[in-house]
Amino acid sequence: MLKEFLSHHNIDFQAFNVAEDAQARDEMIDKYNSMSTPTIVIGDEVMTGFDPDKLSKIFNLE
């Protein structure tokens, strides 16, 4: 859902598969203190879970 949302709004993103990429998983856990996906990093803001309303506000899509 997250990828579809971002693509639909023409928002560039970089996705990591933390099940297969140990370095990305370690970064998610150590740097962003997250153990769940999706973990979304936008600038200095880190959010877990897909929240289309919050993303719409962050990207001024309203």
Side-chain angles (χ1 to χ4, degrees), residues 26-59:
D26 291 345
E27 183 175 356
M28 182 183 79
I29 294 168
D30 298 336
K31 186 174 182 179
Y32 300 112
N33 298 313
S34 178
M35 295 286 290
S36 63
T37 58
T39 295
I40 305 161
V41 181
I42 305 167
D44 293 332
E45 184 163 354
V46 178
M47 60 185 274
T48 56
F50 175 57
D51 184 340
D53 293 332
K54 186 171 183 178
L55 288 170
S56 292
K57 290 178 185 175
I58 291 170
F59 290 111

Side-chain angles (χ1 to χ4, degrees), residues 4-32:
E4 289 83 9
F5 176 90
L6 296 172
S7 294
H8 175 76
H9 293 288
N10 297 315
I11 298 169
D12 291 329
F13 63 93
Q14 187 172 12
F16 299 93
N17 183 336
V18 296
E20 297 177 2
D21 185 338
Q23 183 177 354
R25 181 177 51 252
D26 291 345
E27 183 175 356
M28 182 183 79
I29 294 168
D30 298 336
K31 186 174 182 179
Y32 300 112

